[in-house]
Amino acid sequence: MDRLYMVREECVRFFSKYESYIQPVLKLVIGLLLFYVINARFGYMKTLDRTVVYLALGVSCCVLPSIAIVVEAAGLILLHLYALSPVVCVLTAGLLFLMYIIYYRFTEDDGFYTSLTPLAYMVGIPYVMPIAAGFFKKPYRSVSIVCGTIIYYFLEGIRKNETVLARASSKNTVLAKVHVVMNQFLANKEMFLMCATVILATCSVYVIRRLAIDHAWTIALWIGAAVQFVLVLSGYLFWGIDKKISSLVIGIFVSLALGWGMKFFCFHLDYARTERVQFEDDEYYYYVKAVPKILYQVPPKKRTKTKKDDV
Amino acid sequence: MIQNEKVAYMTKMAVFETREGKKCEPMRKYFRKDYLALQIIKSFLYATAGFALLFVFWCVYQADDLMARIDTLNYAKVGIKIGKSYLVCMAAYIALTYAVYSVRYVKGKRKLRRMERYLKKVKRFYRKKDPSDRKSAHTEKIGQMDEK
């Protein structure tokens, strides 16, 4: 365990030392990953699948604020969908606009969780997002994950129906296309289940990790995972989607591991050394519980003797 | 000579300026009522656009049904229904805007007041410049006068 603490201290030191370099590099990596996935999944406009485009978008993500990743990703998706069908592009733009006026206008959210959520879905670990939001942000950030969830299911629905949507537009096909696109949003029960799960899990993680109990973060992590598992499993069993149960189990276990990693790096306390003190001033009586953090003192590097020292 | 306290205040002000300077700019410019009125007007436009968008989507989605009932439709009743839902949406959106931006204004104003306090302290530091600085400023002034 000491070795792990040492690695953590080294990581924290490394990140704080090179933060100004690491942050743009992380933005670049996330941006490039997101743009690559978008191009790989919705490569309807072939001109966008070029190294120059990737580089230009990635570099601009480094320089601009974090919200640029979301804006550029949205632009890229709209361009691809325009190549598929202008009707689909307009409907998607409408959906994004509604998301903006309902949520993003009122918050100082940088869209980080929204852009990461579809990626997490693609990898099969969307259950880690509510845990992360509950750990580090306020419960309203679950709306950001809900937006990401809606975008993911909506775009997946479009991708599955691309043959219908790619047909040349005529008076009848336009209406049929609108029906297909709108049904991805209105008739997708799994999406609504995931949205409700995200909100419930984020709120439960947030509430439990703020409780003044021992191992609050660990309990919050387990309960967050359990809430998601029970809700999603009951949904799958109810609708008879047996194929996805195995991916749910694996996803929950991987999310638990990632959640434990987050807890380890950001909130690791030594409950064995908890101290309880009581004191008073003129107005109040204080009951204080102080739990020390686990800090590992990195041993100083041994100085090797050189010839110069001997002299 | 570097005055640590002055540098600390100036650093705090610089950090505030880069992180939240733009966000707090409207709180400096407007009174609370004007700020809220501006946001509510914006919200009115956004909500109207959003509702229009939803209405168009709904019309296109229900196009077949609407076309089948185009002769038998009670337009006055439908109009009243749409108007009512528009008013409900608008009221909810404006209430949300009022709540969110009131809190934001109060918080921003508090931060600005803190910054003004820092600024006053920094000004005081400049007034209490140490004698060596004052001397150098004096000699500089004399030099300028001689040049003239």
Side-chain angles (χ1 to χ4, degrees), chain B residues 10-121:
Chain B
M10 288 174 83
T11 312
K12 275 180 190 169
M13 283 161 62
V15 169
F16 171 79
E17 199 60 40
T18 45
R19 277 192 191 165
E20 301 190 72
K22 262 190 184 175
K23 280 180 208 163
C24 291
E25 194 57 35
M27 288 81 172
R28 196 174 286 168
K29 271 187 192 169
Y30 302 108
F31 289 114
R32 185 174 169 273
K33 274 184 183 173
D34 296 335
Y35 176 71
L36 287 177
L38 183 72
Q39 295 306 328
I40 286 170
I41 290 168
K42 273 188 198 172
S43 284
F44 172 77
L45 296 175
Y46 274 125
T48 308
F51 191 83
L53 201 69
L54 278 177
F55 180 67
V56 170
F57 284 174
W58 179 79
C59 284
V60 178
Y61 189 62
Q62 300 284 340
D64 292 336
D65 191 36
L66 287 174
M67 290 304 275
R69 291 193 298 148
I70 201 156
D71 293 330
T72 55
L73 213 60
N74 187 347
Y75 288 100
K77 211 176 166 184
V78 172
I80 289 168
K81 222 176 177 180
I82 292 166
K84 271 184 188 171
S85 34
Y86 173 70
L87 286 177
V88 169
C89 287
M90 185 62 80
Y93 196 66
I94 285 176
L96 186 68
T97 309
Y98 187 85
V100 170
Y101 284 95
S102 294
V103 173
R104 202 173 281 183
Y105 187 86
V106 171
K107 279 185 181 173
K109 206 74 187 170
R110 209 178 292 155
K111 280 176 194 166
L112 281 175
R113 251 178 244 142
R114 202 190 307 145
M115 282 309 114
E116 275 165 23
R117 233 179 293 142
Y118 289 157
L119 193 69
K120 273 181 192 168
K121 278 179 184 168

Side-chain angles (χ1 to χ4, degrees), chain A residues 87 90-95 97-98 100-108 138 174-175 178-183 186-187, chain B residues 20 23 38-40 42-44 46-47 49-51 53-54 57-58 60-64 93 96-97 100-101 104 107:
Chain A
V87 179
V90 169
L91 288 169
T92 313
L95 179 73
F97 176 69
L98 285 176
Y100 169 74
I101 63 168
I102 290 169
Y103 175 63
Y104 288 99
R105 202 185 148 228
F106 294 116
T107 60
E108 288 163 2
K138 292 205 167 150
V174 169
L175 285 179
V178 172
H179 265 267
V180 169
V181 175
M182 295 289 274
N183 279 337
L186 297 173
Chain B
E20 301 190 72
K23 280 180 208 163
L38 183 72
Q39 295 306 328
I40 286 170
K42 273 188 198 172
S43 284
F44 172 77
Y46 274 125
F51 191 83
L53 201 69
L54 278 177
F57 284 174
W58 179 79
V60 178
Y61 189 62
Q62 300 284 340
D64 292 336
Y93 196 66
L96 186 68
T97 309
V100 170
Y101 284 95
R104 202 173 281 183
K107 279 185 181 173

Side-chain angles (χ1 to χ4, degrees), chain A residues 111-128:
Chain A
F112 185 68
Y113 282 78
T114 311
S115 50
L116 272 189
T117 305
L119 281 179
Y121 271 101
M122 283 168 203
V123 184
I125 48 165
Y127 316 104
V128 75

